[in-house]
Amino acid sequence: MELSCNCGYTVNGADPYKMQGEMWHHAIRDHQDMLKQMSVDQIAGLLKDHAQKLGLSKE
């Protein structure tokens, strides 16, 4: 499985929760200002997108 950030940072692995953790760690470390400006709906969209990519969502 793989998750990618728009900046090109990529996370690979078998544990979807660890992958999400690694991606959020990257986002907080490298994109903090952008995250602070995101709305709840934008963050929810990211979570939904990650869940779909990792097979955690039935939608």
Side-chain angles (χ1 to χ4, degrees):
M1 288 186 280
E2 180 178 290
L3 286 177
S4 296
C5 179
N6 290 341
C7 75
Y9 181 83
T10 302
V11 173
N12 294 294
D15 182 342
Y17 298 104
K18 183 169 180 159
M19 291 173 63
Q20 287 183 80
E22 288 182 36
M23 187 57 73
W24 279 104
H25 183 261
H26 158 71
I28 291 165
R29 185 185 63 231
D30 295 342
H31 305 299
Q32 188 178 84
D33 292 335
M34 179 190 73
L35 290 172
K36 288 178 182 179
Q37 295 179 24
M38 290 177 73
S39 70
V40 171
D41 289 338
Q42 288 172 312
I43 293 170
L46 282 175
L47 293 172
K48 186 182 265 188
D49 182 56
H50 287 177
Q52 289 172 342
K53 287 179 180 174
L54 296 171
L56 301 172
S57 173
K58 294 180 178 160
E59 294 180 20

